[in-house]
Amino acid sequence: MEGRKRMVGWGVLALWVMVIALAAPLAGKLGDVQRDRAVDYLPASADSTQVAKISERMPGGDSTDLVLVYHRDGGLTAEDKATAAREVGQVAAEHPLTAPPQAVPSQDGSTLLYAVSSTEPGTDEEARDAFVHDIRETVSGEVGGPGALATDASEVYNSLDGPLLYTTVAVVALLLIIIYRSPFLWLVPLIAAGIADYLSMAVTYALHQGFDISVSGQSTGVMTILVFGAGTDYALLLVSRYREELRRTPRSHDAMAAALRGCGPAVLASSGTVALGMLCLLAADMNSSRGMGPTAAVGVLCALVAMMTLLPALLVVLGRRVFWPLIPAYGSEPKAARRSFFAAMGSSAGRRPLVVLLAGAAALAALALGALNMPGALKQEDSFSSTPEAVAAMKTLATAYPERGTQPITVVAPTSASANTLETARATEGVAKVERGRSGEGWMEISVIAAHPPQSPAETSTIRELRSALGDGVYVGGPSAEQLDLTDTNAGDRNIVVPLVIVVVLLVLIVLLRSLVAPLILVAAVVAVWVAALGIGGLVFEPLFGFEGTDPGLGLLSFVFLVALGVDYGIFLMHRMREECLEGVEPGAAALTALRTTGGVIASAGLVLAATFAVLVNMPMVQLAELGFVIAVGVLLDTFLVRTYLVTSASVLLGRRVWWPGPLAKKPAPTAGSDTERDPVRV
């Protein structure tokens, strides 16, 4: 029988080898379907999306549009102008352009602008990038414009995968070494997490092919973080329970079976709650948010499967020796030193629960005020933590041509309405120039130059005025309009997704905890954490990190992640507390016991999750850095303030009412001498 049980572990490993073999062809293709243009993030109904689609169908709609910028502080010399003319002429000779480039000098004589457009690369992104790089090698000036910006953005996103994965693995490995104090054990959950990440890439590619979900650099980056963060959390809980079972059980496979029975239900419940919370993003109108929902859920579920099957098999096959030098011997007793810190926290919350609750709530409210200091909406050129050449060119143009917009607003109108559209656009306040563009497919393209810098409040007002004046059937797009649509769509999505997440998470918690009050406490706590984390972001984004704006999707995405992940940890605490109450312990004492016995392992899990999301802060995209910071700070607040003090003190204050209206709210008090010092790691 013992030999047969050991074979089960080897059988699971063999099954995973087959899974990896099947996943390999799909996982390698995920990068091929990743799209990171602004228009790929927008909903199909947005004006700017319609403009992009209609323009692509027109003759020359597959053009790559660039701006060549020659600048010298104090004014361009005659030699500078001759060099610019010679280099632009070389570009025109080497590449088929849609029109000869014309020099547009700035009023102060410091800058020359040349608009360059070519259909040579077509719709092939690799050909576009090669075209942009070739022109950059030809000219000495800066190369900007939509085509160059798309190339720079693509390169930044493509560069994320390696550094993001390596940094995440390094951070998790370091923390696991510190937590486990073993030269070998840390490798086992890390290997399982790496395989789970590989599997999640394959599943995400399959979902894209089958259901056309949007795949972006942001969503795949967050998926990797979730796999390693959540997967390591589940590993910490399982390994902690397994270690204790090894002290009670002589055989490793029996100890693992007991560990899975003990912590498995809580892990399944928490991961399921996180996945459901992420899937609420499917209700979003924003393509990028809607695509991130299933991508994030896939990451969590692949981590769950790996940590509940592959990790146990690896641990059982390796046996007790994997814990060396701290091998848990059969019949030994665990040390109690690690519980003292959380026992002290619980004691302070138990002695003065009302004071602790009010003080903690006041601290969160004070931190939340920092959200009032959030910088304005993030501009396209401020989306990079470094300054790509296309962004530098845009900034040069904004300074050199302050009297006019340097980034056209594109209007597409039915050919039959083109004359009226031209007249209305010229009469719109804030419009400096209107030019007739290409026609085709029954549409006319019109280029509108605003009288104000790109993505300034005044230009945004002009775009809104154009849309209002031109009416239905005429679409206003272009880079600035895309940013406006991103902001507006995210605002609308918040009004739909935030209530949906709250309702879904509440319903799941009510079913799991068989209570109404406890779920309300947990959800209120994580919402408070979200607001406080945003407040801290408002205090540091601009002064400390130098971020010029806030990503429009930050509020929605950080809410979904913090609520789902915060409730995830709350489930572990409340699950243990409920077990204590079922065994006759008063809710107040049960809350303190749950904190004391689960605090260490869950705090370790919180540190790992916060550290993995903090990896995003070092990424070159401001959107990712802001999201990673807010989630990391929120997880730390939840781990060391909210769950430790506020949830515990609220549970002590409410007593039996925390389980209302379930049967535990009416259970009689235990007799004197009831044991509250049972299993120190049961979750």
Side-chain angles (χ1 to χ4, degrees):
M1 179 64 73
E2 181 178 350
R4 188 179 302 170
K5 289 182 177 179
R6 287 186 179 276
M7 289 302 296
V8 172
W10 286 106
V12 172
L13 295 182
L15 180 62
W16 269 97
V17 170
M18 289 188 288
V19 169
I20 294 170
L22 292 173
L26 302 180
K29 296 179 180 179
L30 184 61
D32 297 337
V33 299
Q34 179 179 306
R35 296 292 180 267
D36 292 298
R37 299 177 304 168
V39 71
D40 294 319
Y41 281 53
L42 288 166
S45 59
D47 257 34
S48 50
T49 308
Q50 296 299 318
V51 168
K53 290 181 176 179
I54 294 170
S55 296
E56 286 177 357
R57 297 199 303 265
M58 291 182 176
D62 56 351
S63 64
T64 297
D65 300 322
L66 305 176
V67 176
L68 312 185
V69 181
Y70 291 85
H71 173 82
R72 182 186 293 276
D73 291 337
L76 292 168
T77 64
E79 184 179 354
D80 292 332
K81 296 176 182 178
T83 298
R86 183 179 67 255
E87 292 177 349
V88 172
Q90 184 178 346
V91 168
E94 294 177 351
H95 301 280
L97 305 182
T98 57
Q102 300 295 323
V104 180
S106 63
Q107 289 185 355
D108 61 3
S110 67
T111 309
L112 278 178
L113 176 158
Y114 291 88
V116 171
S117 181
S118 174
T119 59
E120 179 185 6
T123 57
D124 188 315
E125 293 188 6
E126 291 185 3
R128 177 204 65 199
D129 296 344
F131 173 73
V132 172
H133 287 306
D134 184 64
I135 290 183
R136 281 176 170 166
E137 291 177 359
T138 302
V139 304
S140 56
E142 295 174 330
V143 179
L149 189 62
T151 292
D152 289 343
S154 176
E155 290 180 352
V156 168
Y157 273 113
N158 290 336
S159 70
L160 290 179
D161 294 342
L164 180 62
L165 178 61
Y166 305 146
T167 308
T168 302
V169 170
V171 167
V172 172
L174 177 62
L175 289 174
L176 288 178
I177 291 171
I178 294 172
I179 293 168
Y180 287 143
R181 292 172 289 172
S182 167
F184 306 113
L185 181 58
W186 63 274
L187 270 171
V188 184
L190 200 60
I191 290 171
I195 292 174
D197 185 46
Y198 198 65
L199 176 61
S200 67
M201 293 169 63
V203 175
T204 300
Y205 177 78
L207 286 177
H208 171 79
Q209 294 300 100
F211 301 96
D212 197 30
I213 67 167
S214 175
V215 178
S216 66
Q218 185 182 46
S219 63
T220 55
V222 169
M223 181 180 69
T224 294
I225 291 293
L226 269 178
V227 169
F228 279 90
T232 305
D233 284 1
Y234 303 149
L236 286 169
L237 294 165
L238 177 66
V239 172
S240 178
R241 182 62 181 266
Y242 176 54
R243 188 200 299 266
E244 292 305 317
E245 293 297 340
L246 285 172
R247 294 190 173 99
R248 302 186 184 92
T249 310
R251 297 183 179 87
S252 59
H253 48 76
D254 291 334
M256 180 56 71
L260 287 171
R261 286 194 301 270
C263 70
V267 172
L268 287 170
S270 61
S271 59
T273 304
V274 174
L276 284 173
M278 300 302 171
L279 288 175
C280 289
L281 284 170
L282 287 170
D285 198 23
M286 183 75 66
N287 276 341
S288 56
S289 298
R290 192 166 61 251
M292 186 175 287
T295 303
V298 163
V300 171
L301 295 178
C302 286
L304 170 70
V305 172
M307 296 309 170
M308 292 292 105
T309 59
L310 176 60
L311 178 61
L314 289 170
L315 291 172
V316 168
V317 168
L318 293 170
R320 296 174 187 268
R321 59 185 177 274
V322 75
F323 288 93
W324 186 88
L326 304 175
I327 299 176
Y330 173 55
S332 63
E333 292 294 330
K335 295 181 180 180
R338 290 182 67 188
R339 295 187 293 161
S340 59
F341 175 71
F342 290 95
M345 285 185 165
S347 297
S348 63
R351 285 194 304 270
R352 299 180 180 85
L354 182 60
V355 173
V356 169
L357 184 62
L358 292 177
L364 290 176
L367 291 173
L369 293 175
L372 301 175
N373 195 49
M374 280 281 190
L378 188 67
K379 296 181 180 179
Q380 195 175 35
E381 65 264 30
D382 297 326
S383 298
F384 307 90
S385 53
S386 58
T387 306
E389 184 176 333
V391 172
M394 292 172 65
K395 291 183 176 181
T396 300
L397 292 176
T399 302
Y401 299 86
E403 75 284 354
R404 55 175 285 178
T406 55
Q407 187 169 267
I409 301 167
T410 303
V411 176
V412 292
T415 306
S416 59
S418 59
N420 183 60
T421 301
L422 285 165
E423 182 181 347
T424 304
R426 291 190 179 102
T428 301
E429 184 178 356
V431 171
K433 186 178 181 182
V434 177
E435 295 178 347
R436 184 188 296 268
R438 300 170 297 164
S439 296
E441 300 291 327
W443 295 90
M444 166 69 73
E445 185 179 85
I446 298 169
S447 179
V448 176
I449 302 296
H452 305 283
Q455 296 176 41
S456 63
E459 192 207 35
T460 299
S461 177
T462 299
I463 293 172
R464 293 192 187 278
E465 287 289 334
L466 278 170
R467 286 178 171 174
S468 176
L470 296 175
D472 296 335
V474 177
Y475 303 105
V476 179
S480 295
E482 289 170 1
Q483 292 300 111
L484 174 60
D485 287 338
L486 284 172
T487 302
D488 289 348
T489 306
N490 272 298
D493 285 347
R494 281 197 301 271
N495 296 333
I496 296 172
V497 177
V498 166
L500 180 61
V501 170
I502 292 175
V503 170
V504 168
V505 170
L506 264 177
L507 290 176
V508 172
L509 288 176
I510 290 170
V511 172
L512 290 176
L513 300 177
R514 297 173 179 82
S515 165
L516 181 60
V517 175
L520 286 172
I521 291 173
L522 290 179
V523 171
V526 293
V527 171
V529 164
W530 170 65
V531 178
L534 284 178
I536 295 175
L539 294 174
V540 302
F541 280 166
E542 191 169 12
L544 183 61
F545 296 126
F547 297 157
E548 298 292 334
T550 305
D551 176 41
L554 176 64
L556 174 64
L557 295 179
S558 62
F559 178 86
V560 173
F561 280 93
L562 279 178
V563 169
L565 295 171
V567 167
D568 184 33
Y569 289 144
I571 288 174
F572 295 134
L573 182 69
M574 284 293 189
H575 183 269
R576 177 58 197 270
M577 180 179 165
R578 190 171 187 279
E579 282 190 353
E580 293 291 328
C581 291
L582 285 171
E583 296 181 13
V585 181
E586 278 288 343
L592 300 180
T593 300
L595 175 62
R596 181 176 63 252
T597 55
T598 66
V601 66
I602 299 179
S604 299
L607 282 172
V608 169
L609 188 65
T612 52
F613 271 99
V615 168
L616 292 174
V617 176
N618 292 321
M619 295 298 106
M621 297 298 297
V622 171
Q623 297 94 322
L624 288 176
E626 291 179 342
L627 181 64
F629 179 85
V630 170
I631 295 176
V633 168
V635 169
L636 292 176
L637 284 175
D638 178 71
T639 301
F640 294 103
L641 173 61
V642 173
R643 181 171 41 79
T644 303
Y645 283 113
L646 302 192
V647 172
T648 301
S649 59
S651 300
V652 172
L653 277 172
L654 290 171
R656 296 188 182 285
R657 287 168 292 182
V658 77
W659 301 117
W660 184 88
L664 282 177
K666 305 170 186 176
K667 190 165 183 174
T671 58
S674 293
D675 181 15
T676 61
E677 296 291 334
R678 290 176 296 279
D679 182 2
V681 294
R682 182 171 57 205
V683 295

